[in-house]
Amino acid sequence: MEREKHGSGAPWEAIAGYSRTVRVGRRIWVAGTTAVDEDGKVVAPGDAYGQTVAVFEKIARALKPYGAGLEHVVRTRMFATRIEDWEEITRAHGKFFAEIRPVSTLVQVGALIDPAMLIEIEADAVLDGE
């Protein structure tokens, strides 16, 4: 099957050898996504809810080139640096997925690449059709 991939333009994609998104057939994978702006600055510092919302907005934008949206997401994996933020993180998840209800995982990790990052999220999506 043909593989379609898109990058975000971040310099570390070429260095690390990964794509922001990959589509094979009807399946789309979105790489770990954090709440950083176009300049690489963390948005909503100290605010787990705000960062989670920003991440899901970025994931929605990453799905667009494939004609997909959050309604196509079937799985989310959330990596939090502070598990005590779980209520804020899951409230933000519910804001986007209350009706879609993908399978989801939330785990605590020791750290992310920038100490100001509180959450990193991956998403898997499946396009409609056969």
Side-chain angles (χ1 to χ4, degrees):
M1 266 190 187
E2 187 176 325
R3 176 186 299 227
E4 179 182 356
K5 54 189 178 263
H6 293 273
S8 68
W12 48 83
E13 289 174 2
I15 294 166
Y18 76 94
S19 297
R20 176 85 180 92
T21 57
V22 173
R23 174 184 173 187
V24 177
R26 295 175 36 233
R27 297 185 67 188
I28 304 166
W29 294 268
V30 181
T33 304
T34 57
V36 295
D37 64 18
E38 302 80 35
D39 298 321
K41 291 187 175 34
V42 175
V43 300
D47 178 3
Y49 178 83
Q51 286 192 22
T52 306
V53 167
V55 169
F56 284 127
E57 290 170 347
K58 283 179 69 174
I59 289 172
R61 288 191 301 274
L63 291 169
K64 277 191 174 194
Y66 304 100
L70 293 178
E71 69 275 13
H72 295 98
V73 171
V74 296
R75 180 179 188 112
T76 59
R77 291 175 200 85
M78 301 182 286
F79 307 97
T81 59
R82 304 183 316 207
I83 200 64
E84 61 268 19
D85 290 335
W86 73 270
E87 289 179 276
E88 294 300 301
I89 293 167
T90 57
R91 183 167 62 91
H93 190 277
K95 173 182 175 159
F96 294 94
F97 295 108
E99 299 299 318
I100 301 163
R101 311 240 351 214
V103 297
S104 184
T105 301
L106 170 61
V107 297
Q108 180 172 315
V109 295
L112 295 172
I113 201 159
D114 182 320
M117 295 174 180
L118 303 176
I119 187 81
E120 182 166 340
I121 303 171
E122 298 176 348
D124 302 342
V126 178
L127 293 169
D128 299 329
E130 300 204 21

